[in-house]
Amino acid sequence: MLKSENGLKTLRAEAYGRIVDLLNTQEVHPGQVVTQRELVERTNTSLAAVREAIPRLEAEGLIVTLRQRGLMFPNVDVAFIRNAYQLRVILELEAIANVPRNIQPSTIEDWEREHRDILRRLQEDATEELARKAQALDWGMHEQLIRSLGNDLIAEVYRVNAIKVRMAAQKRLLVTPLNAIRVMNEHLAILEALRRQKGEGAAAAMRKHIGNSMQLALGGEID
C-alpha cells in the first residue's frame, strides 16, 4: 500500500510539473479553459495523476475549477499583474539587501561579464536567438539571487510567483531583441551597484527594473 501511495505522489508531482511547463512555455494561455482529459493528453500522464495535481494548482492560484465547464487558467487582469509584481519587488529587494554576505564578488563579476557580452552581441546583430539567450540569463540571475537567501519557503513562493509574472508578461512582454537590450542594460545597473557595494543604488535599480516590466505588462510605456 505504501509503495502504491508513493507511486501516486510521484505521478502527481510529474503531472503538476508538466502542467506548469505548459504555462512557462506558453503552450496554454491565461483565460483558456481545458478539461481534465485534455490535460491528460497534453501532459502524457494519467487522469488520476492530473486529478491529484489540481488541488495544488488551485491553492497556488494557477488554475481555477469552473463548475460543469472544466478548468481555467486564470485571467490576467490589472490586479493579477500588480499583485505578482508587488510580491516580486518584496522578495527581490530582500535578496539584494543580503547579497554582500550571500554572493561572492566573483559571481557578480561573472554575471556582469555575461551581460556585457550578450548586450554587445545584441547591438551588433540583434537576433531572436540572442534575445532568448538574454531571457535565460535574465531568469537565471533573478532565481539565483532568490536562492542565495537559503530560504526554501521564499524560494517556493518566488517559483510560483515567477510563473504568474510570466503569464502577465505573455501578451505584452515578447521576447524581442529590443526588449532584451533594455533588460540587459537594467541588469547591468543593478550589477554595477552591487559590485561597488552600493546597496541603496542596487535596490533602486532593481525596483526600477521590476517597475518597468510591470508597466509594460500593464500595457503602458516606459521612459
Side-chain angles (χ1 to χ4, degrees):
M1 182 65 179
L2 182 60
K3 183 177 180 180
S4 177
E5 288 177 356
N6 287 338
L8 183 57
K9 287 180 181 178
T10 300
L11 292 172
R12 178 177 60 202
E14 184 177 3
Y16 170 87
R18 292 186 182 182
I19 293 170
V20 166
D21 286 344
L22 293 175
L23 286 166
N24 280 331
T25 57
Q26 301 180 9
E27 292 180 53
V28 295
H29 56 80
Q32 182 174 345
V33 177
V34 296
T35 65
Q36 291 183 5
R37 292 287 182 184
E38 286 177 298
L39 287 180
V40 169
E41 292 175 4
R42 283 174 173 264
T43 60
N44 195 28
T45 54
S46 69
L47 182 58
V50 166
R51 284 175 174 168
E52 286 286 322
I54 287 171
R56 180 180 176 186
L57 291 159
E58 286 182 310
E60 293 174 345
L62 298 176
I63 210 163
V64 179
T65 296
L66 302 176
R67 192 172 182 180
Q68 297 182 338
R69 287 187 58 197
L71 304 164
M72 183 181 76
F73 296 102
N75 281 308
V76 173
D77 56 16
V78 171
F80 183 100
I81 294 171
R82 290 192 183 280
N83 289 346
Y85 278 94
Q86 184 177 30
L87 179 55
R88 184 180 173 189
V89 168
I90 292 169
L91 298 177
E92 298 206 36
L93 289 185
E94 177 66 14
I96 286 290
N98 286 277
V99 161
R101 69 166 175 264
N102 290 337
I103 298 181
Q104 293 294 321
S106 59
T107 299
I108 301 299
E109 291 170 2
D110 287 344
W111 286 347
E112 192 173 356
R113 186 162 45 249
E114 289 175 322
H115 279 75
R116 290 194 185 283
D117 178 62
I118 288 285
L119 180 59
R120 176 185 56 77
R121 293 165 64 191
L122 280 166
Q123 291 170 335
E124 291 175 353
D125 184 20
T127 65
E128 295 296 329
E129 181 182 0
L130 274 176
R132 286 191 291 271
K133 288 183 178 180
Q135 183 183 63
L137 182 60
D138 173 17
W139 290 353
M141 190 192 85
H142 285 286
E143 183 177 349
Q144 287 180 65
L145 280 170
I146 291 297
R147 291 201 172 278
S148 72
L149 290 169
N151 186 311
D152 290 342
L153 178 58
I154 289 177
E156 179 61 13
V157 170
Y158 181 84
R159 181 192 66 79
V160 174
N161 195 62
I163 298 169
K164 296 178 181 179
V165 168
R166 289 167 195 167
M167 289 171 65
Q170 201 176 111
K171 292 183 178 179
R172 297 188 177 96
L173 280 175
L174 300 178
V175 183
T176 65
L178 183 61
N179 191 48
I181 288 172
R182 172 189 68 84
V183 171
M184 292 299 98
N185 278 315
E186 290 175 1
H187 274 208
L188 282 169
I190 298 166
L191 293 170
E192 288 171 6
L194 288 174
R195 175 168 50 79
R196 295 173 182 171
Q197 298 184 354
K198 303 289 187 181
E200 291 185 3
M206 178 64 82
R207 191 182 291 276
K208 179 179 180 181
H209 171 53
I210 297 174
N212 282 345
S213 294
M214 182 182 75
Q215 190 65 23
L216 289 170
L218 288 168
E221 297 180 356
I222 59 175
D223 296 331

